[in-house]
Amino acid sequence: MRVLGFESSCDETGVALVEFTEQGCSPKLLADALHSQISMHQAYGGVVPELASRDHIRRVIPLTREVLARAQASLADVDVIAYTQGPGLAGALLVGAGVAVSLAAALGKPTMAVHHLEGHLLSPFLSSDPPEFPFVALLVSGGHTQLMRVDEVGSYELLGETIDDAAGEAFDKSAKLLGLPYPGGPHLAKLAESGNPEAFALPRPLMHSGKPDFSFAGLKTAVLTQVKRLGDAPTEQQRADLAASTQAAIVEVLLKKSLLALKESGLKRLVVAGGVGANRMLREQLNAACAKRGIRVHYPELSLCTDNGAMIAMAAALRLQRGIGATAPSGGGFEVRPRWALGEVS
Ligand code: KG4
Ligand code: ZN
């Protein structure tokens, strides 16, 4: 069976075609195409929701054509159409959902609504080293920071999450204070390469709470205080030091809480997903700490850490393989869920 998947929850339009056979065989990515709106939003220092929606409208059909052409397939070869139902920006979600449901209605094919974070969480199944269930998942994106226990596809138990900003948000907001372009995470990581991570003493909130929870809002305030202290003309080295210290603070907390969740659950497998999962320092530190404890760590391919259509088609394929059904073709009615907790997915 073949699943065509659409992702449009934020500032990336992603479309992909995934093929699967019976349970036990890994679904295969036949083709995917992505358009990132980053350069469009950069002028505003963040995502402008209405511009995002309009751009999704412009991109989604050409990307679909591209995916089908690359897979040497046609719409007649598609069996199920999947789309991100939430969480995300309402207007942006409506574009992908609208296209997916209309296409399904026109073709007489069923649809499957996918939770965006379930897509991230299952994205390592697209890698050459897919994980086995059960595992602990560290979901670190621009909007979410959560530790989940995952026993099977559709079985997600929240172990802990951020009480304020997400890890990606902490990267992005600190980067902005350092005068770096949006989205700041990768830029801050680059600047940090030439900095001293111990140069600035930044807070690690909730570090010793004894629970797998997070708080990053205070870090941003501490970075602001340091930026003000450095004045109008900080040297390149001072900026790099502050970037390195910020990254070290975020990574240390993510590492400590992941290890805590692993210890408490007794599981020996960690899956890291979401945009911040691309961070090299985070990967190095998790790899080293987990190797010592006999824990295996799985990541999505670097290109699939941030939003993409492949993870949505993949999540749908894994569900369908397990007999978690798709919705029969309807007259075209649908809803999106801008706010939607992963724990509500069954
Ligand atoms: O998963 P994602 O594409 O979007 C959401 O679903 O939110 O994650 C985007 C986030 C942004 O905050 C971005 O700055 C961050 O991931 N990010 C990184 C890196 N690459 C992306 N943060 C730190 N280091 C990176 N290398
Ligand atoms: Zn995402």
Side-chain angles (χ1 to χ4, degrees):
M1 283 183 81
R2 287 174 171 189
V3 185
L4 184 65
F6 291 95
E7 156 62 33
S8 70
S9 65
C10 190
D11 56 352
E12 260 106 23
T13 322
V15 184
L17 190 64
V18 162
E19 185 177 65
F20 69 94
T21 52
E22 73 276 13
Q23 195 172 345
C25 298
S26 280
K28 199 170 124 218
L29 178 63
L30 298 181
D32 70 330
L34 186 78
H35 175 77
S36 169
Q37 306 176 351
I38 284 176
S39 57
M40 183 179 80
H41 296 295
Q42 232 156 27
Y44 306 94
V47 177
V48 183
E50 186 52 31
L51 292 183
S53 314
R54 291 181 201 185
D55 201 59
H56 286 306
I57 294 173
R58 274 193 291 272
R59 308 289 175 180
V60 66
I61 300 294
L63 287 172
T64 307
R65 289 208 175 98
E66 194 181 322
V67 163
L68 292 171
R70 276 203 227 149
Q72 296 186 313
S74 73
L75 284 174
D77 301 316
V78 175
D79 298 293
V80 176
I81 302 183
Y83 61 95
T84 305
Q85 188 176 37
L89 300 170
L93 287 166
L94 280 168
V95 178
V99 168
V101 173
S102 317
L103 206 52
L107 296 167
K109 301 284 163 84
T111 59
M112 180 169 286
V114 176
H115 193 291
H116 180 78
L117 294 181
E118 184 176 30
H120 275 303
L121 200 147
L122 299 176
S123 60
F125 284 89
L126 287 157
S127 77
S128 52
D129 177 29
E132 278 167 32
F133 297 101
F135 54 78
V136 169
L138 172 67
L139 275 177
V140 270
S141 69
H144 295 83
T145 299
Q146 300 183 330
L147 278 157
M148 316 277 311
R149 181 192 167 103
V150 181
D151 283 295
E152 240 303 331
V153 174
S155 168
Y156 310 118
E157 183 198 339
L158 183 66
L159 302 174
E161 64 182 332
T162 180
I163 58 166
D164 42 51
D165 289 355
E169 226 173 329
F171 267 107
D172 294 345
K173 288 178 175 171
S174 304
K176 200 170 184 175
L177 293 169
L178 282 161
L180 296 167
Y182 174 86
H187 295 283
L188 189 144
K190 181 98 192 62
L191 181 60
E193 282 172 17
S194 48
N196 170 9
E198 287 164 15
F200 292 86
L202 297 174
R204 274 95 167 131
L206 298 185
M207 185 76 162
H208 304 290
S209 69
K211 287 187 280 181
D213 50 3
F214 307 86
S215 166
F216 290 109
L219 177 62
K220 168 193 65 196
T221 313
V223 172
L224 175 63
T225 307
Q226 296 301 337
V227 167
K228 282 188 182 154
R229 213 170 57 82
L230 292 177
D232 291 339
T235 64
E236 211 33 43
Q237 190 57 49
Q238 285 172 323
R239 291 178 73 237
D241 286 347
L242 188 49
S245 302
T246 306
Q247 176 174 254
I250 299 170
V251 167
E252 193 179 331
V253 177
L254 294 176
L255 173 66
K256 170 141 186 180
K257 301 291 178 159
S258 300
L259 294 176
L260 180 66
L262 284 157
K263 192 168 168 210
E264 282 185 351
S265 65
L267 297 177
K268 290 281 181 200
R269 204 177 287 278
L270 177 69
V271 161
V272 184
V276 181
N279 186 270
R280 212 172 72 197
M281 185 186 189
L282 177 66
R283 287 188 177 215
E284 283 170 6
Q285 298 216 356
L286 280 173
N287 289 345
C290 288
K292 263 196 228 158
R293 293 165 177 80
I295 293 163
R296 290 214 50 196
V297 196
H298 298 261
Y299 304 92
E301 305 288 346
L302 266 184
S303 63
L304 298 178
C305 276
T306 44
D307 295 348
N308 61 82
M311 67 184 196
I312 301 305
M314 184 63 169
L318 289 170
R319 286 184 153 257
L320 291 162
Q321 266 189 327
R322 284 157 178 79
I324 309 174
T327 309
S330 67
F334 64 93
E335 60 166 351
V336 293
R337 303 179 69 173
R339 290 180 165 273
W340 185 14
L342 183 54
E344 290 169 29
V345 171
S346 59

